Amino acid sequence: MPSFRARRWMPPLVAAAWIGCGGGSPGAPSSATPAAQAPPARRPNFVFVLVDDLDFPTAAMMPRLPALIGLRGRTFDRAYVTQALCAPSRASILTGQFPHNHRVLDNTGPNGGFGAFRRGQESSTIATWLRAAGYRTALIGKYMNGYPTAARPDYIPPGWDEWRAQLSDLTADRYVNYFLNENGTVNPYGVADADYETDVLTQRALTFMDRSIQDKKPFFLYLAPDAPHLPAIPAPRHARLFFGTEAPRVPSFNEQDVSDKPAFVQNASLMTPAEIRKLDRTETARLRTMLAVEDMLADVLTLLAANQVLDETYVFFMSDNGLMLGQHRLVTTKDVPYEEAIRVPLMVMGPGIAAASHADDFVLNVDIAPTLAELAGAAVPDSVDGRSMVRLLRGESVADWRRDAVSESISYTGGLSAVLRTPEYAYTEIESNERELYDMRADPFQLASLHRRADPALLTKLSARLAQITGCRRATCRN
Ligand SMILES: [Ca+2]
Ligand SMILES: [Ca+2]
């Protein structure tokens, strides 16, 4: 997105300025997760669909998404990511760890992306755990930013039986003109209709699921299309839909008075009418790319139903992070502490999950891996920071479930920025020593930070909780 202002709440990573990597050794499976109930006679299958940069408000604009997944399952209205950035969030999903523990802190550079993940964490992920438990595993789509730089193009990480991963570092356009490493063979794709990436990934997914079902092998499919990430190139059949759509004109859109906000926001200029029109076109294109994902979901569900395995398959739909669409003047920005960046859509359908149900528990991307593991009856390593949300999926209330969420961002200098989201507040500390505090009930669009006039005792309390989670490890992260 070279034509857009890229503003993050921390300085951009300076390559080679910092070589350290505190990645801990990957945990070996050492303790079985306690199963909430006896395992089913047939082990469930999993389809985990992970989209890229889909913010909650845009997800709400999708025409078929609620009917496809939400109305058949459970929607989490308070799902957050431990860092609102692609590679750190994907590493959290795969390992169940916070960025401060898995140490994939950026998309690129010595501390980011595939290189950092491979060095520290790749040998113990949800894929290796489920495969060890007898599952057939597949990754189809985006693996990690920077893949496969520093490895061979035919490199396949541990834990995956079926591997059809985009060579992300050779793929500027994402949706067209890309390469897939397909089980060790690198195949190029062009711009023909039949090469449209989301559709190709769908076909690969259907083939994998069909073969696993025929082989009577329980499967875990990690299906990760690029939509709606920029450059948001839609499938030709969707290229003229959503005409005239606007980015949501919420009260914080192009915020006039940002004197309450930290310098990185104050330094952002107001969008001009031309920039607003451009943002509206961007949002229109993003929605168009998501229509192919709706087709993907529909095709996946149709295949599962046709094979009579819908009632023994869990389907997850989630985004790796949100995106700013002009709120507080931030245009297509992520890795910032605001609600539209840190909150993500999350819907789950499957056996034992009530249709059309909602949950307001705070859940995190680090909860995904232990949840899948518990449902599969797989062992979970002690290294996991997240917590299985199986009981939440079943609609049970969990008395000691966490009552807040933390999203963090560690810069190349090691400086920490983080936001604590509670039912009442969003409290932010930035490594520049700036703070923010929003009353999320009175001011849900985060228009007026209260940090200068808040009760010091409240700030102290929120700061202590933020420090507790940004320094947590394993069990101390779980509630
Ligand atoms: Ca992303
Ligand atoms: Ca303001």
Side-chain angles (χ1 to χ4, degrees), residues 384-453:
V384 165
D385 300 329
R387 182 171 174 184
S388 169
M389 50 188 196
V390 166
R391 290 170 62 195
L392 302 180
L393 289 174
R394 294 176 181 150
E396 299 170 22
S397 65
V398 181
D400 64 345
W401 192 261
R402 72 171 78 82
R403 291 182 171 80
D404 50 29
V406 166
S407 189
E408 63 191 20
S409 184
I410 301 170
S411 73
Y412 68 93
T413 58
L416 172 71
S417 302
V419 52
L420 172 71
R421 179 70 164 88
T422 75
E424 296 85 13
Y425 299 108
Y427 171 72
T428 302
E429 293 182 359
I430 303 180
E431 69 169 302
S432 55
N433 288 323
E434 294 169 294
R435 295 188 190 193
E436 296 175 273
L437 175 69
Y438 298 95
D439 179 338
M440 295 303 288
R441 289 181 171 155
D443 182 19
F445 292 101
Q446 304 181 295
L447 290 169
S449 176
L450 307 172
H451 64 283
R452 294 190 188 96
R453 48 195 158 107

Side-chain angles (χ1 to χ4, degrees), residues 5 253-258 268-273 275 329:
R5 291 173 298 188
F253 187 80
N254 215 13
E255 184 174 342
Q256 284 288 328
D257 179 0
V258 291
S269 43
L270 279 166
M271 287 182 283
T272 65
E275 288 170 329
R329 313 180 180 185

Side-chain angles (χ1 to χ4, degrees), residues 197-469:
E197 190 197 38
T198 308
D199 296 341
V200 169
L201 301 179
T202 299
Q203 291 308 313
R204 299 293 179 271
L206 297 177
T207 301
F208 168 77
M209 291 191 299
D210 190 53
R211 198 174 64 244
S212 300
I213 293 165
Q214 303 318 320
D215 293 346
K216 301 193 185 315
K217 186 86 172 164
F219 64 86
F220 165 53
L221 168 59
Y222 180 105
L223 182 53
D226 277 302
H229 198 291
L230 300 185
I233 300 168
R237 65 186 181 281
H238 298 139
R240 299 191 60 78
L241 301 176
F242 284 114
F243 191 76
T245 300
E246 293 184 338
R249 296 298 197 267
V250 288
S252 57
F253 187 80
N254 215 13
E255 184 174 342
Q256 284 288 328
D257 179 0
V258 291
S259 60
D260 59 309
K261 291 196 161 48
F264 83 94
V265 177
Q266 294 193 22
N267 291 338
S269 43
L270 279 166
M271 287 182 283
T272 65
E275 288 170 329
I276 292 173
R277 285 193 296 275
K278 182 172 184 177
L279 174 61
D280 288 338
R281 288 195 298 271
T282 296
E283 178 66 345
T284 301
R286 279 162 38 85
L287 284 159
R288 287 169 176 163
T289 67
M290 281 301 299
L291 293 173
V293 175
E294 288 186 333
D295 290 345
M296 168 187 274
L297 292 168
D299 288 352
V300 164
L301 295 172
T302 297
L303 183 136
L304 294 171
N307 286 280
Q308 299 176 318
V309 295
L310 201 51
D311 61 352
E312 55 194 73
T313 304
Y314 290 94
V315 180
F316 289 66
F317 177 84
M318 189 181 189
S319 177
D320 63 347
N321 53 260
L323 197 70
M324 305 304 291
L325 295 169
Q327 300 96 343
H328 321 302
R329 313 180 180 185
L330 300 174
V331 180
T332 63
T333 307
K334 46 206 172 185
D335 207 19
V336 293
Y338 300 109
E339 192 75 354
E340 295 85 356
I342 64 175
R343 184 188 185 201
V344 292
L346 173 61
M347 302 172 184
V348 191
M349 58 177 280
I353 302 177
S357 61
H358 282 256
D360 65 358
D361 313 273
F362 281 100
V363 295
L364 294 167
N365 52 353
V366 293
D367 300 330
I368 296 295
T371 300
L372 292 167
E374 181 180 348
L375 291 169
V380 181
D382 292 335
S383 55
V384 165
D385 300 329
R387 182 171 174 184
S388 169
M389 50 188 196
V390 166
R391 290 170 62 195
L392 302 180
L393 289 174
R394 294 176 181 150
E396 299 170 22
S397 65
V398 181
D400 64 345
W401 192 261
R402 72 171 78 82
R403 291 182 171 80
D404 50 29
V406 166
S407 189
E408 63 191 20
S409 184
I410 301 170
S411 73
Y412 68 93
T413 58
L416 172 71
S417 302
V419 52
L420 172 71
R421 179 70 164 88
T422 75
E424 296 85 13
Y425 299 108
Y427 171 72
T428 302
E429 293 182 359
I430 303 180
E431 69 169 302
S432 55
N433 288 323
E434 294 169 294
R435 295 188 190 193
E436 296 175 273
L437 175 69
Y438 298 95
D439 179 338
M440 295 303 288
R441 289 181 171 155
D443 182 19
F445 292 101
Q446 304 181 295
L447 290 169
S449 176
L450 307 172
H451 64 283
R452 294 190 188 96
R453 48 195 158 107
D455 178 354
L458 173 65
L459 294 176
T460 300
K461 183 180 156 200
L462 294 171
S463 183
R465 174 61 179 165
L466 190 62
Q468 182 186 351
I469 294 301

Side-chain angles (χ1 to χ4, degrees), residues 52-53 85-86 90 142 229 320-321 334:
D52 198 339
D53 288 10
L85 190 63
C86 306
R90 284 159 196 263
K142 178 176 175 180
H229 198 291
D320 63 347
N321 53 260
K334 46 206 172 185

Side-chain angles (χ1 to χ4, degrees), residues 111-184:
N111 220 19
F114 167 68
F117 192 61
R118 184 189 184 199
R119 191 165 59 237
Q121 303 296 341
E122 203 177 52
S123 58
S124 178
T125 65
I126 183 60
T128 64
W129 315 338
L130 292 196
R131 190 165 189 249
Y135 272 77
R136 184 179 287 174
T137 61
L139 183 143
I140 297 177
K142 178 176 175 180
Y143 179 46
M144 196 66 66
N145 304 63
Y147 170 82
T149 297
R152 292 163 47 109
D154 60 355
Y155 172 75
I156 299 173
W160 302 100
D161 294 308
E162 174 92 3
W163 183 256
R164 298 186 186 266
Q166 179 197 78
L167 305 192
S168 298
D169 67 335
L170 299 176
T171 303
D173 292 342
R174 294 172 183 260
Y175 305 84
V176 296
N177 290 325
Y178 58 96
F179 299 88
L180 296 181
N181 171 356
E182 304 198 68
N183 296 325

